[in-house]
Amino acid sequence: MGTRFEFQAKEMKLSIPASIKIYINGFLGRKAFFRRFCAESGIDLPLNPRKKVILPERYLIKDNAAIIYMGTIRDKAIVDAYSDFYDKYSALADYLVGTQNEINAQSEYLKNEEERLKDVGAKLAKEKNPMQKIFLESKKHEAEVRIKNQKIKLAGMESDFKIFKRLEAQNSATWKHQLTLIENSIEASIGKYLKNLGKKVIKKLDYNDFKYINPGHTDEVLEILGGRKNASS
């Protein structure tokens, strides 16, 4: 249905170079992250297996370069997807306006044709001349057939309009789904990164309740999203 106007959501995956860059960042940062975690939690190093330590209910990771980088990737994906969505949205909006104008014109045409048919019918009812009567009957029949066919045409135009109007609503819903796909993909990538970065903490302290603050959106993306605010993850 209307593929040239239909916006289709796409799954998002980090590129191979981006994935490698993020993995290396996490791998090389494990030791420093472990030391920082212990220092900020008041845990003395080296760890003493006979000494009990209290672990934080949650550990908030702030100003992390890899997470900020993934926020940049997220925003680029949103901008690119919105460009595609807006192209389809604009083309469909123009099509709907044009179709509505055609429907209005067709309706007006039929109204005029039906008025002419009434006039022919009125003349036929009064006509006494047999030859003229045959002519008017023929003209009346032609008008009736023409009107029936043009009504079929109007019904098809109205049906198309309804279909594409539904597509307009579908595209808006698909756009929201596209945003969810992008956000979920980035969240999954950040979660994978945190497991990599925090591997020493997870292994030595059996702790992995890492939290982070979503990177803020660019002004361009905020405008696309209508100024939606980000909340902590």
Side-chain angles (χ1 to χ4, degrees):
M1 175 183 64
T3 53
R4 65 189 172 120
F5 298 130
E6 186 177 0
F7 174 69
Q8 297 181 337
K10 300 178 180 67
E11 292 287 345
M12 180 198 167
K13 290 184 179 179
L14 296 181
S15 67
I16 292 176
S19 297
I20 293 173
K21 178 178 179 179
I22 292 166
Y23 175 80
I24 291 173
N25 179 287
F27 179 79
L28 296 179
R30 289 175 185 174
K31 188 174 182 179
F33 180 76
F34 175 71
R35 291 183 176 279
R36 183 166 64 253
F37 175 89
C38 291
E40 292 179 356
S41 302
I43 299 172
D44 294 332
L45 293 177
L47 293 175
N48 184 343
R50 290 173 296 186
K51 183 179 179 181
K52 181 180 178 181
V53 297
I54 304 298
L55 297 171
E57 290 185 9
R58 70 171 195 167
Y59 182 75
L60 183 64
I61 298 173
K62 305 173 287 293
D63 301 323
N64 180 278
I67 293 176
I68 293 171
Y69 173 59
M70 282 185 270
T72 301
I73 294 173
R74 172 205 62 198
D75 282 4
K76 184 180 184 305
I78 291 173
V79 170
D80 290 346
Y82 184 74
S83 178
D84 182 27
F85 166 73
Y86 188 75
D87 286 347
K88 299 288 174 62
Y89 170 86
S90 298
L92 179 54
D94 289 344
Y95 174 83
L96 288 171
V97 169
T99 302
Q100 185 63 65
N101 289 338
E102 290 175 0
I103 288 171
N104 294 341
Q106 182 72 358
S107 297
E108 186 64 24
Y109 166 77
L110 279 169
K111 180 181 175 182
N112 293 334
E113 285 294 302
E114 286 171 342
E115 286 297 322
R116 292 191 186 96
L117 178 61
K118 286 181 183 178
D119 290 341
V120 172
K123 289 178 182 178
L124 180 61
K126 296 176 182 178
E127 186 58 56
K128 303 299 183 183
N129 186 308
M131 295 298 292
Q132 187 65 17
K133 201 166 187 177
I134 291 173
F135 170 75
L136 290 172
E137 284 175 347
S138 176
K139 193 172 182 180
K140 180 174 180 288
H141 177 70
E142 288 173 0
E144 288 171 341
V145 171
R146 183 167 59 252
I147 288 170
K148 286 179 181 178
N149 282 324
Q150 291 301 309
K151 282 185 175 179
I152 291 172
K153 179 181 177 180
L154 176 60
M157 294 164 67
E158 290 173 335
S159 177
D160 285 347
F161 183 86
K162 289 177 182 177
I163 289 171
F164 284 101
K165 193 67 179 173
R166 287 196 295 269
L167 179 59
E168 187 178 48
Q170 176 187 311
N171 279 351
S172 294
T174 303
W175 165 245
K176 292 179 182 177
H177 179 56
Q178 177 67 82
L179 289 174
T180 299
L181 288 177
I182 292 171
E183 290 168 356
N184 288 349
S185 175
I186 293 299
E187 286 177 8
S189 295
I190 292 176
K192 184 178 179 180
Y193 164 74
L194 293 180
K195 286 183 179 178
N196 179 26
L197 179 68
K199 192 167 185 178
K200 286 179 69 70
V201 175
I202 296 169
K203 182 178 180 181
K204 293 180 177 293
L205 295 171
D206 192 26
Y207 179 90
N208 65 353
D209 195 9
F210 306 122
K211 304 296 179 183
Y212 63 95
I213 297 175
N214 271 329
H217 290 295
T218 63
D219 290 342
E220 182 180 10
V221 172
L222 284 175
E223 185 175 353
I224 289 171
L225 300 179
R228 186 181 62 179
K229 303 293 184 182
N230 279 297
S232 297
S233 296

